[in-house]
Coordinates of all heavy atoms in Angstrom, one line a residue:
M1 N 111.9 102.8 91.7 CA 112.0 102.0 93.0 C 111.7 100.5 92.5 O 110.8 100.3 91.8 CB 111.1 102.4 94.0 CG 111.2 101.5 95.3 SD 110.1 102.1 96.6 CE 111.3 103.1 97.5
R2 N 112.5 99.6 93.0 CA 112.3 98.2 92.7 C 111.0 97.8 93.3 O 110.5 98.2 94.3 CB 113.4 97.4 93.4 CG 114.8 97.6 92.8 CD 115.8 96.9 93.6 NE 115.5 95.6 94.0 CZ 116.3 94.5 93.7 NH1 117.4 94.7 93.0 NH2 116.0 93.3 94.0
V3 N 110.3 96.8 92.6 CA 109.0 96.3 93.1 C 109.0 95.7 94.4 O 108.1 95.9 95.2 CB 108.3 95.4 91.9 CG1 109.1 94.1 91.8 CG2 106.9 95.2 92.2
D4 N 110.1 94.9 94.8 CA 110.1 94.3 96.0 C 110.2 95.3 97.1 O 109.6 95.3 98.2 CB 111.2 93.2 96.1 CG 112.6 93.8 95.8 OD1 112.8 94.9 95.3 OD2 113.6 93.1 96.2
K5 N 111.1 96.4 96.9 CA 111.2 97.5 97.9 C 109.8 98.2 98.0 O 109.4 98.6 99.2 CB 112.3 98.4 97.6 CG 113.7 97.9 97.8 CD 114.7 99.1 97.4 CE 116.1 98.6 97.7 NZ 117.1 99.7 97.4
W6 N 109.2 98.5 96.9 CA 107.9 99.2 96.9 C 106.9 98.4 97.8 O 106.2 99.0 98.5 CB 107.4 99.5 95.5 CG 106.2 100.3 95.4 CD1 106.0 101.6 95.5 CD2 104.9 99.8 95.3 NE1 104.8 102.0 95.5 CE2 104.0 100.8 95.3 CE3 104.3 98.5 95.2 CZ2 102.6 100.7 95.2 CZ3 103.0 98.3 95.0 CH2 102.1 99.5 95.1
L7 N 106.7 97.1 97.5 CA 105.8 96.4 98.2 C 105.9 96.4 99.7 O 104.9 96.5 100.5 CB 105.8 94.9 97.7 CG 105.2 94.6 96.3 CD1 105.6 93.2 95.9 CD2 103.7 94.8 96.3
S8 N 107.1 96.4 100.2 CA 107.3 96.4 101.6 C 107.2 97.8 102.1 O 106.8 98.1 103.3 CB 108.7 95.8 102.0 OG 109.8 96.5 101.4
A9 N 107.7 98.9 101.4 CA 107.7 100.2 101.9 C 106.3 100.8 102.1 O 106.1 101.6 102.9 CB 108.5 101.1 100.9
V10 N 105.3 100.4 101.2 CA 104.0 100.8 101.2 C 103.1 100.0 102.1 O 101.9 100.1 102.0 CB 103.4 101.2 99.9 CG1 104.2 102.3 99.2 CG2 103.3 99.9 99.0
N11 N 103.7 99.0 102.7 CA 102.9 98.1 103.6 C 102.0 97.2 102.9 O 100.9 96.8 103.5 CB 102.3 98.9 104.7 CG 103.2 99.7 105.5 OD1 104.2 99.2 106.0 ND2 102.9 101.0 105.7
V12 N 102.3 96.7 101.7 CA 101.4 95.7 101.1 C 101.8 94.4 101.7 O 100.9 93.5 101.9 CB 101.6 95.7 99.5 CG1 100.8 94.6 98.9 CG2 101.1 97.1 99.0
V13 N 103.1 94.1 101.9 CA 103.6 92.9 102.5 C 104.4 93.4 103.7 O 104.9 94.5 103.8 CB 104.4 92.0 101.6 CG1 103.6 91.5 100.5 CG2 105.6 92.8 101.1
K14 N 104.6 92.5 104.7 CA 105.2 92.9 105.9 C 106.7 93.0 105.8 O 107.3 93.9 106.4 CB 105.0 91.8 107.0 CG 103.5 91.9 107.6 CD 103.4 91.0 108.8 CE 102.0 91.1 109.3 NZ 101.8 90.4 110.5
R15 N 107.4 92.1 105.0 CA 108.9 92.3 104.9 C 109.3 92.1 103.4 O 108.6 91.5 102.7 CB 109.5 91.0 105.7 CG 109.3 91.2 107.2 CD 110.1 90.2 108.0 NE 109.9 88.8 107.6 CZ 109.0 88.0 108.1 NH1 108.2 88.5 109.0 NH2 108.8 86.8 107.6
R16 N 110.4 92.6 103.2 CA 111.0 92.6 101.8 C 111.3 91.2 101.4 O 111.1 90.8 100.2 CB 112.2 93.5 101.7 CG 112.7 93.6 100.3 CD 113.8 94.6 100.3 NE 114.5 94.5 99.0 CZ 115.7 95.1 98.7 NH1 116.3 95.8 99.7 NH2 116.3 94.9 97.6
T17 N 111.7 90.3 102.3 CA 112.0 89.0 102.0 C 110.7 88.2 101.5 O 110.8 87.3 100.6 CB 112.6 88.2 103.1 OG1 111.8 88.3 104.3 CG2 114.0 88.7 103.4
I18 N 109.6 88.6 102.1 CA 108.4 87.9 101.6 C 108.0 88.4 100.2 O 107.6 87.6 99.3 CB 107.2 88.3 102.6 CG1 107.5 87.7 104.0 CG2 105.8 87.9 102.0 CD1 106.4 88.1 105.0
A19 N 108.2 89.7 100.0 CA 108.0 90.2 98.6 C 108.9 89.5 97.6 O 108.4 89.2 96.5 CB 108.3 91.7 98.6
T20 N 110.1 89.3 98.0 CA 111.1 88.7 97.0 C 110.7 87.2 96.7 O 110.7 86.8 95.6 CB 112.5 88.7 97.7 OG1 112.8 90.0 97.9 CG2 113.6 88.2 96.7
D21 N 110.2 86.5 97.8 CA 109.8 85.1 97.6 C 108.6 85.1 96.7 O 108.5 84.2 95.9 CB 109.5 84.5 98.9 CG 110.7 84.2 99.7 OD1 111.8 84.2 99.2 OD2 110.6 84.0 101.0
M22 N 107.6 86.1 96.9 CA 106.4 86.1 96.0 C 106.8 86.4 94.6 O 106.2 85.8 93.6 CB 105.5 87.2 96.5 CG 104.9 87.0 97.8 SD 104.0 88.2 98.5 CE 102.5 88.2 97.6
L23 N 107.8 87.3 94.4 CA 108.3 87.6 93.0 C 108.9 86.3 92.3 O 108.8 86.0 91.2 CB 109.2 88.7 93.0 CG 108.5 90.1 93.2 CD1 109.4 91.1 93.8 CD2 108.0 90.6 91.9
K24 N 109.7 85.6 93.2 CA 110.4 84.4 92.6 C 109.4 83.3 92.2 O 109.5 82.5 91.3 CB 111.4 83.8 93.7 CG 112.6 84.6 93.8 CD 113.6 84.0 94.8 CE 114.8 84.8 94.9 NZ 115.7 84.3 96.0
S25 N 108.2 83.2 93.0 CA 107.2 82.3 92.7 C 106.3 82.7 91.5 O 105.6 81.8 91.1 CB 106.3 82.1 94.0 OG 107.0 81.7 95.1
G26 N 106.5 83.9 91.1 CA 105.7 84.3 89.9 C 104.3 84.7 90.2 O 103.5 84.7 89.3
V27 N 104.0 85.1 91.3 CA 102.6 85.5 91.7 C 102.4 87.0 91.6 O 101.3 87.5 91.8 CB 102.1 85.0 93.1 CG1 102.1 83.4 93.1 CG2 103.0 85.5 94.2
V28 N 103.5 87.8 91.4 CA 103.4 89.2 91.3 C 103.5 89.6 89.8 O 104.4 89.3 89.1 CB 104.4 89.9 92.2 CG1 104.4 91.5 92.0 CG2 104.4 89.5 93.6
L29 N 102.5 90.5 89.4 CA 102.5 91.0 88.0 C 102.6 92.5 88.0 O 101.9 93.2 88.9 CB 101.2 90.6 87.3 CG 100.8 89.1 87.3 CD1 99.4 88.9 86.8 CD2 101.8 88.3 86.5
V30 N 103.3 93.0 87.2 CA 103.4 94.5 87.0 C 102.9 94.8 85.6 O 103.4 94.4 84.6 CB 104.8 95.1 87.2 CG1 104.8 96.6 87.0 CG2 105.3 94.8 88.6
N31 N 101.8 95.6 85.6 CA 101.1 95.9 84.3 C 100.8 94.6 83.5 O 100.9 94.6 82.3 CB 101.9 96.9 83.5 CG 102.0 98.2 84.2 OD1 101.2 98.7 84.8 ND2 103.2 98.8 84.0
G32 N 100.4 93.6 84.2 CA 100.0 92.4 83.5 C 101.1 91.4 83.1 O 100.8 90.3 82.6
L33 N 102.4 91.7 83.4 CA 103.5 90.8 83.1 C 104.2 90.4 84.4 O 104.3 91.2 85.3 CB 104.5 91.6 82.2 CG 104.0 92.2 80.9 CD1 105.0 93.0 80.3 CD2 103.6 91.0 80.0
K34 N 104.6 89.1 84.4 CA 105.2 88.6 85.6 C 106.5 89.4 85.8 O 107.3 89.7 84.8 CB 105.6 87.1 85.5 CG 104.3 86.3 85.5 CD 104.7 84.8 85.7 CE 103.4 84.1 85.8 NZ 103.6 82.7 86.1
A35 N 106.8 89.7 87.0 CA 107.9 90.7 87.3 C 109.0 89.9 88.2 O 108.7 89.0 88.9 CB 107.4 91.8 88.1
K36 N 110.2 90.4 87.9 CA 111.3 90.0 88.8 C 111.5 91.0 89.9 O 111.0 92.1 89.7 CB 112.6 89.9 88.0 CG 112.6 88.8 87.0 CD 113.9 88.7 86.2 CE 113.9 87.5 85.3 NZ 115.1 87.5 84.5
A37 N 112.3 90.7 90.9 CA 112.4 91.7 92.0 C 113.1 92.9 91.6 O 112.8 94.0 92.2 CB 113.3 91.0 93.1
S38 N 113.8 92.9 90.6 CA 114.6 94.1 90.2 C 113.8 95.0 89.3 O 114.2 96.1 88.9 CB 115.9 93.7 89.4 OG 115.6 92.9 88.2
K39 N 112.6 94.6 88.9 CA 111.7 95.4 88.0 C 111.3 96.7 88.7 O 110.9 96.8 89.9 CB 110.4 94.6 87.8 CG 109.3 95.4 87.1 CD 109.6 95.6 85.6 CE 108.4 96.3 85.0 NZ 108.7 97.2 83.9
N40 N 111.5 97.8 88.1 CA 111.2 99.1 88.6 C 109.7 99.4 88.4 O 109.2 99.1 87.4 CB 112.0 100.2 87.9 CG 113.4 100.3 88.4 OD1 113.7 99.9 89.6 ND2 114.4 100.6 87.6
V41 N 109.1 100.1 89.3 CA 107.7 100.6 89.3 C 107.7 102.0 89.2 O 108.6 102.7 89.7 CB 106.9 100.1 90.4 CG1 106.6 98.6 90.4 CG2 107.4 100.6 91.8
A42 N 106.7 102.6 88.5 CA 106.6 104.0 88.3 C 105.2 104.4 88.6 O 104.3 103.6 88.7 CB 107.0 104.4 86.8
V43 N 105.0 105.7 88.8 CA 103.6 106.2 89.1 C 102.7 105.8 88.0 O 103.0 106.0 86.8 CB 103.7 107.7 89.3 CG1 102.2 108.3 89.5 CG2 104.5 108.1 90.5
G44 N 101.5 105.3 88.3 CA 100.6 104.9 87.3 C 100.6 103.4 87.0 O 99.7 102.9 86.3
D45 N 101.6 102.6 87.5 CA 101.7 101.2 87.2 C 100.7 100.4 88.1 O 100.3 100.9 89.1 CB 103.1 100.7 87.5 CG 104.1 101.0 86.5 OD1 103.8 101.5 85.4 OD2 105.3 100.8 86.7
T46 N 100.3 99.3 87.6 CA 99.4 98.4 88.3 C 100.1 97.2 88.7 O 100.7 96.5 88.0 CB 98.2 98.0 87.4 OG1 97.5 99.2 87.0 CG2 97.1 97.2 88.2
V47 N 100.1 96.9 90.1 CA 100.8 95.7 90.6 C 99.7 94.8 91.1 O 98.8 95.2 91.9 CB 101.7 96.1 91.8 CG1 102.4 94.9 92.4 CG2 102.7 97.1 91.3
T48 N 99.7 93.6 90.6 CA 98.7 92.5 90.9 C 99.4 91.4 91.6 O 100.4 90.9 91.2 CB 98.0 92.0 89.6 OG1 97.4 93.1 88.9 CG2 96.9 91.1 90.0
I49 N 98.9 91.0 92.8 CA 99.3 89.8 93.5 C 98.2 88.8 93.4 O 97.1 89.0 93.8 CB 99.6 90.2 94.9 CG1 100.7 91.3 95.0 CG2 100.2 89.0 95.7 CD1 100.9 91.8 96.4
E50 N 98.6 87.6 93.0 CA 97.7 86.5 92.8 C 97.7 85.7 94.1 O 98.5 84.7 94.2 CB 98.0 85.6 91.6 CG 97.9 86.4 90.3 CD 98.3 85.6 89.1 OE1 99.0 84.6 89.2 OE2 98.0 86.1 88.0
Y51 N 96.8 86.0 95.0 CA 96.7 85.2 96.3 C 95.7 83.9 96.0 O 95.2 83.9 94.9 CB 96.0 86.0 97.3 CG 96.8 87.2 97.9 CD1 96.6 88.4 97.6 CD2 97.9 86.9 98.7 CE1 97.3 89.5 98.0 CE2 98.7 88.0 99.2 CZ 98.3 89.2 98.9 OH 99.1 90.3 99.4
L52 N 95.8 83.0 96.9 CA 95.0 81.8 96.8 C 93.5 82.1 96.7 O 92.7 81.5 96.0 CB 95.2 80.8 97.9 CG 96.6 80.2 97.9 CD1 96.9 79.4 99.1 CD2 96.9 79.4 96.7
K53 N 93.0 83.1 97.4 CA 91.6 83.5 97.5 C 91.2 84.4 96.3 O 90.1 84.8 96.1 CB 91.3 84.3 98.8 CG 91.4 83.3 100.0 CD 91.0 84.1 101.2 CE 91.1 83.2 102.4 NZ 90.6 83.8 103.7
G54 N 92.2 84.8 95.4 CA 92.0 85.6 94.3 C 92.9 86.8 94.3 O 93.6 87.1 95.2
P55 N 93.0 87.4 93.1 CA 94.1 88.4 92.9 C 93.6 89.8 93.5 O 92.4 90.0 93.6 CB 94.1 88.5 91.3 CG 92.8 88.1 90.9 CD 92.3 87.0 91.8
K56 N 94.6 90.5 93.9 CA 94.4 91.9 94.4 C 95.3 92.8 93.6 O 96.5 92.4 93.4 CB 94.8 92.0 95.9 CG 93.8 91.4 96.8 CD 94.1 91.9 98.2 CE 93.0 91.4 99.2 NZ 93.1 91.9 100.5
S57 N 94.7 93.8 93.2 CA 95.5 94.8 92.3 C 95.7 96.1 93.1 O 94.8 96.6 93.8 CB 94.8 95.1 91.0 OG 94.7 93.9 90.2
Y58 N 96.8 96.7 92.8 CA 97.1 98.0 93.5 C 97.6 99.0 92.4 O 98.4 98.6 91.5 CB 98.2 97.8 94.5 CG 97.8 96.8 95.6 CD1 98.2 95.5 95.5 CD2 97.1 97.2 96.7 CE1 97.9 94.6 96.4 CE2 96.8 96.3 97.7 CZ 97.2 94.9 97.5 OH 96.8 94.0 98.5
E59 N 97.3 100.3 92.5 CA 97.8 101.3 91.6 C 98.9 102.1 92.3 O 98.7 102.5 93.5 CB 96.7 102.2 91.1 CG 97.2 103.2 90.2 CD 96.1 104.1 89.7 OE1 94.9 103.9 90.0 OE2 96.4 105.1 89.0
V60 N 100.0 102.4 91.6 CA 101.1 103.1 92.3 C 100.7 104.6 92.2 O 100.6 105.1 91.0 CB 102.4 102.8 91.6 CG1 103.6 103.7 92.2 CG2 102.8 101.3 91.6
L61 N 100.5 105.3 93.3 CA 100.2 106.7 93.3 C 101.4 107.6 93.5 O 101.5 108.7 92.9 CB 99.1 107.0 94.3 CG 97.8 106.3 94.2 CD1 96.9 106.6 95.4 CD2 97.1 106.6 92.9
Q62 N 102.4 107.1 94.3 CA 103.5 107.9 94.6 C 104.6 106.9 94.9 O 104.4 105.7 95.3 CB 103.4 108.7 95.8 CG 102.6 110.0 95.6 CD 102.6 110.8 96.9 OE1 103.7 110.9 97.6 NE2 101.5 111.5 97.3
I63 N 105.9 107.3 94.7 CA 107.0 106.5 95.1 C 107.5 107.0 96.4 O 107.9 108.2 96.5 CB 108.1 106.5 94.0 CG1 107.6 106.0 92.6 CG2 109.4 105.7 94.4 CD1 107.2 104.6 92.6
P64 N 107.7 106.2 97.5 CA 108.1 106.7 98.8 C 109.6 107.0 98.7 O 110.4 106.3 98.0 CB 107.8 105.6 99.8 CG 107.6 104.4 98.9 CD 107.2 104.8 97.6
T65 N 110.1 108.0 99.4 CA 111.5 108.4 99.5 C 112.2 107.8 100.7 O 113.4 107.8 100.8 CB 111.6 109.9 99.5 OG1 110.9 110.4 100.7 CG2 111.1 110.5 98.2
T66 N 111.4 107.2 101.7 CA 111.9 106.6 102.8 C 111.8 105.1 102.7 O 111.0 104.6 101.9 CB 111.3 107.1 104.1 OG1 109.9 106.8 104.0 CG2 111.5 108.5 104.3
K67 N 112.4 104.4 103.7 CA 112.4 102.9 103.6 C 111.0 102.4 103.9 O 110.6 101.4 103.2 CB 113.4 102.4 104.7 CG 113.5 100.8 104.7 CD 114.6 100.4 105.6 CE 114.8 98.9 105.6 NZ 115.8 98.5 106.5
T68 N 110.3 103.0 104.8 CA 108.9 102.6 105.0 C 108.1 103.9 105.3 O 108.6 104.9 105.6 CB 108.8 101.7 106.3 OG1 109.3 102.4 107.5 CG2 109.4 100.4 106.1
I69 N 106.8 103.8 105.2 CA 105.9 104.8 105.5 C 105.0 104.5 106.6 O 104.7 103.3 106.8 CB 105.1 105.2 104.2 CG1 104.2 104.1 103.8 CG2 105.9 105.8 103.1 CD1 103.1 104.5 102.8
P70 N 104.4 105.4 107.3 CA 103.4 105.0 108.3 C 102.1 104.4 107.7 O 101.8 104.9 106.6 CB 103.1 106.4 109.0 CG 104.2 107.3 108.7 CD 104.7 106.8 107.3
K71 N 101.5 103.5 108.3 CA 100.3 102.8 107.8 C 99.2 103.8 107.6 O 98.4 103.7 106.7 CB 99.9 101.7 108.7 CG 100.8 100.5 108.6 CD 100.2 99.3 109.4 CE 101.2 98.2 109.3 NZ 100.7 97.1 110.1
S72 N 99.2 104.9 108.3 CA 98.2 105.9 108.1 C 98.3 106.7 106.8 O 97.3 107.3 106.3 CB 98.2 106.9 109.3 OG 99.4 107.6 109.3
Q73 N 99.5 106.7 106.2 CA 99.7 107.4 104.9 C 99.7 106.4 103.7 O 100.0 106.8 102.6 CB 101.1 108.1 105.0 CG 101.2 109.2 106.0 CD 102.5 109.8 106.0 OE1 103.5 109.4 105.4 NE2 102.7 110.9 106.7
K74 N 99.3 105.2 104.0 CA 99.3 104.2 102.8 C 98.4 104.7 101.7 O 98.8 104.5 100.5 CB 98.8 102.8 103.4 CG 98.8 101.8 102.4 CD 98.4 100.4 102.9 CE 98.3 99.4 101.8 NZ 97.9 98.1 102.4
G75 N 97.3 105.3 102.0 CA 96.4 105.8 100.9 C 97.0 106.9 99.9 O 96.5 107.0 98.8
E76 N 98.0 107.5 100.4 CA 98.8 108.5 99.6 C 99.6 107.8 98.5 O 100.0 108.5 97.5 CB 99.5 109.5 100.4 CG 98.7 110.3 101.4 CD 99.6 111.1 102.3 OE1 100.7 111.4 101.9 OE2 99.1 111.5 103.4
F77 N 100.1 106.6 98.8 CA 101.1 106.0 98.0 C 100.5 104.8 97.1 O 101.0 104.5 96.1 CB 102.2 105.4 98.8 CG 103.0 106.5 99.5 CD1 102.6 107.0 100.8 CD2 104.1 107.1 98.9 CE1 103.4 108.0 101.3 CE2 104.9 108.1 99.5 CZ 104.5 108.5 100.7
V78 N 99.4 104.2 97.5 CA 98.8 103.1 96.9 C 97.4 103.1 97.0 O 96.7 103.6 97.9 CB 99.5 101.8 97.5 CG1 99.1 101.6 98.9 CG2 99.0 100.6 96.6
K79 N 96.7 102.6 95.9 CA 95.3 102.6 95.8 C 94.9 101.1 95.4 O 95.4 100.6 94.4 CB 94.7 103.6 94.8 CG 93.1 103.5 94.7 CD 92.7 104.6 93.8 CE 92.5 104.1 92.4 NZ 91.8 105.1 91.5
E80 N 94.1 100.5 96.3 CA 93.6 99.1 96.0 C 92.5 99.2 95.0 O 91.6 100.0 95.1 CB 93.1 98.5 97.2 CG 93.0 97.0 97.0 CD 92.7 96.2 98.3 OE1 93.1 96.7 99.4 OE2 92.1 95.2 98.3
L81 N 92.6 98.5 93.9 CA 91.6 98.5 92.8 C 90.7 97.3 93.0 O 90.9 96.3 93.6 CB 92.4 98.3 91.5 CG 93.5 99.4 91.1 CD1 94.1 99.0 89.8 CD2 92.8 100.7 91.1

């Protein structure tokens, strides 16, 4: 799954357009490397977002099969490091 779709599907960001803008700005890293929106993520990858207050890292636990998941199931798909 593309990293921009993954970020919005697992409720890390609200909309996919926000995720795409973040990727264009270069603040999203996948396994320590700056990523483009088309970069695929796999189970076990680490996605880091460099916010102004400091970076937040997430580990990919599962790839969702639907467009979005309920917020109550977020823990099954992503783990905040």
Side-chain angles (χ1 to χ4, degrees):
M1 177 178 264
R2 292 168 51 118
V3 68
D4 59 341
K5 284 185 179 180
W6 182 83
L7 286 169
S8 64
V10 298
N11 302 310
V12 173
V13 295
K14 288 188 178 188
R15 293 187 308 270
R16 186 171 166 198
T17 54
I18 294 172
T20 305
D21 289 343
M22 292 170 80
L23 286 152
K24 285 180 183 175
S25 299
V27 297
V28 179
L29 308 171
V30 176
N31 295 328
L33 301 172
K34 288 191 180 189
K36 294 183 179 179
S38 61
K39 170 77 173 145
N40 283 327
V41 292
V43 175
D45 284 352
T46 302
V47 178
T48 304
I49 302 174
E50 296 175 344
Y51 291 108
L52 294 175
K53 293 183 178 181
K56 283 195 174 184
S57 295
Y58 304 93
E59 181 180 352
V60 180
L61 300 178
Q62 287 184 37
I63 303 296
T65 55
T66 58
K67 187 175 180 180
T68 58
I69 60 164
K71 288 185 179 181
S72 61
Q73 294 180 354
K74 182 177 178 180
E76 298 175 20
F77 293 89
V78 62
K79 180 173 92 172
E80 190 170 338
L81 303 175

